[in-house]
Amino acid sequence: MASDNNSVKTPDKANHKITVTSPLLPDLEEFNALLKEIWASRWITNNGSFHQRLEKELCEYLKVPFISLFTNGTLPLITSLQALRITGEVITTPYSFVATTHSLWWNGIKPVFVDIDPATGNIDPDRIEAAITPMTTAIMPVHVYGQPCDMAKIQDIADKYGLKVIYDAAHAFGVEVNGESVLNAGDVATLSFHATKVYNTIEGGALVMHDEKTKRRIDHLKNFGFVSETEVVAPGINSKMDEIRAAYGILNLRQVDEAIASRRRVADRYREALGDTEGVTFFRDIPGVRHNYSYFPIFIDAGIYGMTRDELYSKLKEHNVLGRRYFYPLISDFTTYRGLPSAAPSNLPNARKMADSVICLPMHATLGEEDVEKVVSLIRR
Ligand SMILES: *Cc1c(COP(=O)(O)O)cnc(C)c1O
């Protein structure tokens, strides 16, 4: 439904930059109409009608029982750790966006990094048990690039050791396995609706939970801990989504399926065009999984490809193709975390290899065919 009033003219074709992402924007006139409603109501935040509507519509779209909207995708991570009273050590992946580990640090929790499975990019469940100590209270996996984690195996380990599971599902909007949302796995799952994600509310996020009691507690925590006008039950935070972004989100939800279908066409073309390029590998669709095509990472084997990842990255950049090295460096390499025992390079060989070989190619719903052809012709040898 990207109508004409959304199309931005390319200012200068020669200098046209092909960016890794581009936000899904609602129709401006439709958005204006909702803004008028909001202005008329003079209710702009604090659980207004658009906020309530978006929560309801997201529950239906995502096939989840309860959801709580947030002002970004980092605060549901931080807040859920508070809500579940997670302390001590949490087992997590170094191959993610920094917010995953930062949320632990903000709660005074020690992150324990476990290596990834190179077949998926996700935490390797077979390495989790060895990282458990008497201080371990939870596991925080990430469905990286929207690739589903081995949720059954992770739950088995959590049950065996009495651990909570908090999924950072920032990349997994709409991802399903055999018709079941990945957001229903674990104790809670978080989403990011940042402008760069498959579905956005400009800035925004959400927490998915399985029961009404947790939903209530989270709703209190994201509103300073208020349960009534005069009663505060916890040191909560302010992370409420406003009416304007909720209205924007309602409109974007209507076109997200179409956006995912467009992304799929880009992924199909990349796979078709790069399938025989030696030294370049990528993930394939997994049978039974509804993918969201949130990213299109390729992995460069410099010895075979004849060029290092960084050389290809620079070459693309010189030609105005702005791929991104998600996720490089590893979170465990940042100064805050690199002193941790689990950050030792010998502990994370698969994650390091992936971080050193990855480039995420341009991937968004409005990526033109010409642009896709330009990207592949630069990579093909
Ligand atoms: C984007 C992202 C976040 C943070 O979301 P924000 O909405 O930017 O705060 C958290 N985890 C992962 C894996 C992400 O990609």
Side-chain angles (χ1 to χ4, degrees):
M1 270 178 300
S3 63
D4 282 349
N5 68 4
N6 283 336
S7 62
V8 178
K9 285 214 184 69
T10 308
D12 174 356
K13 198 123 198 292
N15 286 318
H16 163 58
K17 292 200 192 318
I18 305 176
T19 51
V20 73
T21 188
S22 180
L24 184 66
L25 293 169
D27 181 273
L28 200 48
E29 269 168 36
E30 286 181 46
F31 187 44
N32 246 326
L34 297 191
L35 286 178
K36 278 184 185 154
E37 271 186 54
I38 294 168
W39 257 242
S41 74
R42 304 191 79 88
W43 190 298
I44 57 177
T45 187
N46 286 6
N47 200 28
S49 64
F50 285 104
H51 184 283
Q52 290 174 26
R53 235 174 92 189
L54 182 56
E55 285 194 344
K56 192 167 158 282
E57 290 185 15
L58 280 170
C59 279
E60 282 162 18
Y61 179 85
L62 297 168
K63 304 183 191 166
V64 300
F66 298 98
I67 200 165
S68 182
L69 294 175
F70 276 74
T71 198
N72 61 48
T74 303
L75 280 157
L77 286 166
I78 292 175
T79 310
S80 61
L81 291 164
Q82 291 266 324
L84 298 171
R85 298 195 164 84
I86 305 300
T87 58
E89 296 178 4
V90 171
I91 291 170
T92 189
T93 172
Y95 194 75
S96 179
F97 181 62
V98 283
T100 311
T101 313
H102 282 354
S103 71
L104 299 170
W105 208 253
W106 271 70
N107 279 285
I109 294 162
K110 182 174 166 187
V112 175
F113 297 111
V114 162
D115 205 6
I116 59 167
D117 176 354
T120 62
N122 292 327
I123 193 166
D124 183 348
D126 292 334
R127 294 168 193 264
I128 291 176
E129 277 193 90
I132 295 173
T133 77
M135 300 295 288
T136 310
T137 55
I139 307 168
M140 185 181 274
V142 180
H143 302 289
V144 79
Y145 309 129
Q147 301 246 101
C149 288
D150 190 336
M151 295 166 281
K153 229 179 213 175
I154 290 171
Q155 196 59 53
D156 280 350
I157 297 165
D159 290 344
K160 186 169 162 192
Y161 293 89
L163 308 176
K164 302 281 190 200
V165 184
I166 298 127
Y167 278 99
D168 180 341
H171 300 177
F173 187 90
V175 173
E176 296 173 7
V177 180
N178 300 322
E180 168 88 19
S181 170
V182 298
L183 302 170
N184 287 325
D187 290 278
V188 292
T190 68
L191 287 166
S192 166
F193 304 152
H194 185 255
T196 53
K197 307 296 208 264
V198 168
Y199 168 81
N200 83 86
T201 60
I202 307 174
E203 293 270 358
L207 189 69
V208 170
M209 61 287 277
H210 314 322
D211 62 277
E212 199 164 3
K213 200 170 145 217
T214 308
K215 157 86 173 146
R216 253 199 319 269
R217 181 156 165 75
I218 291 293
D219 283 347
H220 296 151
L221 281 176
K222 78 174 184 195
N223 187 28
F224 311 98
F226 275 107
V227 295
S228 71
E229 230 178 279
T230 51
E231 201 183 352
V232 168
V233 293
I237 197 150
N238 178 11
S239 185
K240 305 183 298 291
M241 181 181 282
D242 59 78
E243 286 294 276
I244 294 169
R245 286 185 292 154
Y248 177 106
I250 286 167
L251 294 178
N252 255 356
L253 193 56
R254 293 184 195 159
Q255 55 173 356
V256 72
D257 277 338
E258 204 183 329
I260 291 171
S262 301
R263 286 169 172 272
R264 186 194 176 133
R265 285 192 287 274
V266 175
D268 286 346
R269 178 59 192 145
Y270 279 148
R271 286 174 178 151
E272 181 188 46
L274 300 175
D276 57 0
T277 303
E278 285 182 31
V280 175
T281 52
F282 43 80
F283 295 123
R284 299 276 178 185
D285 283 359
I286 304 160
V289 173
R290 183 202 188 228
H291 291 277
N292 66 4
Y293 310 95
S294 47
Y295 299 87
F296 196 88
I298 61 168
F299 306 99
I300 307 301
D301 184 327
I304 302 172
Y305 184 64
M307 197 186 253
T308 66
R309 182 276 306 271
D310 287 339
E311 283 166 351
L312 177 61
Y313 170 78
S314 301
K315 177 184 163 185
L316 292 171
K317 204 169 178 177
E318 277 162 30
H319 289 85
N320 284 328
V321 173
L322 309 180
R324 292 295 295 269
R325 288 166 289 186
Y326 297 143
F327 290 98
Y328 167 85
L330 291 177
I331 300 175
S332 49
D333 282 342
F334 290 118
T335 51
T336 312
Y337 305 114
R338 67 182 172 210
L340 293 168
S342 65
S346 59
N347 186 44
L348 308 166
N350 295 333
R352 186 159 307 275
K353 191 167 172 221
M354 195 167 272
D356 287 343
S357 62
V358 69
I359 302 179
C360 282
L361 299 184
M363 168 54 85
H364 54 85
T366 47
L367 193 61
E369 270 173 47
E370 246 178 78
D371 286 349
V372 175
E373 293 314 312
K374 177 172 171 180
V375 175
V376 297
S377 70
L378 286 166
I379 299 167
R380 286 166 67 115
R381 308 244 65 191

